[in-house]
Amino acid sequence: MKVGIIIPTYQEQDNIKKIKETFSKIKNINVFFCFIDGSYSNDTSKEIKKNFKKNFKIIRQKQQKIGYFKVSRRCEASLMGFKWIIKNKNVDIITDMDADLSSDPKDILKAIKIYKNNNSDLIIGSKYLLKSRVIKRKIIRILCSKIYTSVCRVLISNTISDYSAGFRFYSPNSLKYLILKKPRYKSPAQHLENLLFYYENNLKISEFPARYTDTDENSKSIPLVHIFIFVYQLSNILIRYYFRKLK
């Protein structure tokens, strides 16, 4: 099974060797890595080239700011990687993950099994199923994530247990249509936008219990301006969703 993995990076040179060593222990998968590097230096790219001799691609991404704050462009980075993989590589399943390995790479094997058995278009590694495990996450982040997911389950569908940004796996054919749709947002709100695309088009969505470990990077406080922007964008997505339903 050929797996295309997009990994957005921002000064992640200390994590590259760990990524290499972790994936070298996972058997029976053929992985191609597409690193989208938004670092302000070349240290991360140099470390990638040092550790990965084949089956990888590095794409540089420029950073942007809102005032004094650096804008998170992780979703835009993932979309860049999706486009490149679809155009240049023949893979069976595609995913994106953080370079800090907060999502467990071993869960890829679970996703592959579901993909083979169910022929799913989107597979979600859920943090909210019975056997899911969430480790080291701060209470405030758990609370915000659960409130957000609960609201989405009420407003959209309770058949999906996890609407938050998690470990997601896409079939190449469905991802082609998602890319053609051109998601409106480059912020984390794109996660909901993408999920609604699959839900509204009756594409097959499956879930499995995943393991998630919060890291020091993920635990950093989020600037208030980013929270306001995120809430505004989510509200806009939900309003447009209900407008489509009424039509």
Side-chain angles (χ1 to χ4, degrees):
M1 175 70 75
K2 295 180 181 178
V3 183
I5 301 180
I6 289 86
I7 302 183
T9 59
Y10 180 77
Q11 297 304 117
E12 300 281 0
Q13 55 268 21
D14 294 337
N15 287 324
I16 301 303
K17 185 176 181 180
K18 183 180 178 182
I19 294 172
K20 175 67 174 179
E21 291 175 346
T22 300
F23 276 93
S24 66
K25 297 174 184 177
I26 303 175
K27 308 301 180 183
N28 302 320
I29 59 172
N30 181 6
V31 178
F32 183 91
F33 294 94
C34 182
F35 294 94
I36 312 298
D37 188 19
S39 306
Y40 56 79
S41 72
N42 290 322
D43 293 344
T44 301
S45 294
K46 288 178 181 177
E47 197 67 20
I48 293 169
K49 293 174 182 177
K50 177 182 174 181
N51 284 274
F52 291 84
K53 305 304 179 184
K54 59 179 181 178
N55 294 328
F56 77 94
K57 171 71 176 179
I58 302 173
I59 300 174
R60 293 287 291 177
Q61 178 193 28
K62 292 182 179 180
Q63 291 295 317
Q64 290 183 349
K65 292 184 177 182
I66 294 179
Y68 294 104
F69 300 107
K70 179 176 68 67
V71 178
S72 172
R73 300 177 69 198
R74 186 207 184 283
C75 286
E76 181 185 4
S78 293
L79 192 60
M80 289 172 64
F82 290 152
K83 290 178 179 178
W84 191 91
I85 287 279
I86 288 292
K87 183 177 180 179
N88 295 281
K89 289 293 173 180
N90 181 23
V91 296
D92 299 299
I93 193 169
I94 300 170
T95 187
D96 62 330
M97 63 185 298
D98 291 330
D100 59 10
L101 300 182
S102 52
S103 297
D104 190 346
K106 292 180 182 177
D107 281 339
I108 294 174
L109 298 175
K110 297 179 185 177
I112 289 173
K113 185 177 181 180
I114 293 172
Y115 183 72
K116 287 181 176 179
N117 294 338
N118 296 355
N119 196 30
S120 300
D121 297 294
L122 171 64
I123 303 167
I124 299 171
S126 173
K127 296 188 286 292
Y128 302 121
L129 293 175
L130 186 60
K131 294 183 179 180
S132 302
R133 291 190 65 191
V134 178
I135 302 167
K136 295 182 180 180
R137 200 167 210 201
K138 291 182 177 180
I139 295 298
I140 185 64
R141 283 184 174 263
I142 293 174
L143 185 61
C144 289
S145 179
K146 285 191 173 182
I147 290 173
Y148 164 66
T149 291
S150 297
V151 169
C152 288
R153 293 190 73 187
V154 171
L155 296 179
I156 300 171
S157 172
N158 64 4
T159 60
I160 299 170
S161 74
D162 192 351
Y163 282 84
S164 61
F167 216 179
R168 296 183 181 181
F169 301 81
Y170 306 84
S171 68
N173 285 336
S174 68
L175 199 54
K176 288 178 184 178
Y177 290 107
L178 176 63
I179 290 170
L180 287 173
K181 174 185 171 289
K182 296 181 179 179
R184 175 175 295 192
Y185 296 115
K186 298 176 182 179
S187 71
Q190 188 189 117
H191 290 291
L192 178 60
E193 197 175 12
N194 292 349
L195 184 51
L196 278 175
F197 168 81
Y198 280 83
Y199 179 73
E200 289 186 281
N201 287 282
N202 295 315
L203 296 170
K204 190 167 186 179
I205 301 172
S206 300
E207 289 186 290
F208 68 88
R211 176 189 174 100
Y212 178 85
T213 303
D214 217 347
T215 63
D216 292 338
E217 182 65 27
N218 285 332
S219 296
K220 288 181 179 178
S221 60
I222 302 172
L224 194 59
V225 64
H226 289 184
I227 295 174
F228 284 134
I229 292 171
F230 181 59
V231 171
Y232 167 77
Q233 292 176 343
L234 289 179
S235 301
N236 189 275
I237 290 170
L238 289 171
I239 289 170
R240 287 190 289 116
Y241 164 69
Y242 271 94
F243 181 74
R244 292 194 296 270
K245 282 186 68 175
L246 290 172
K247 288 179 67 178

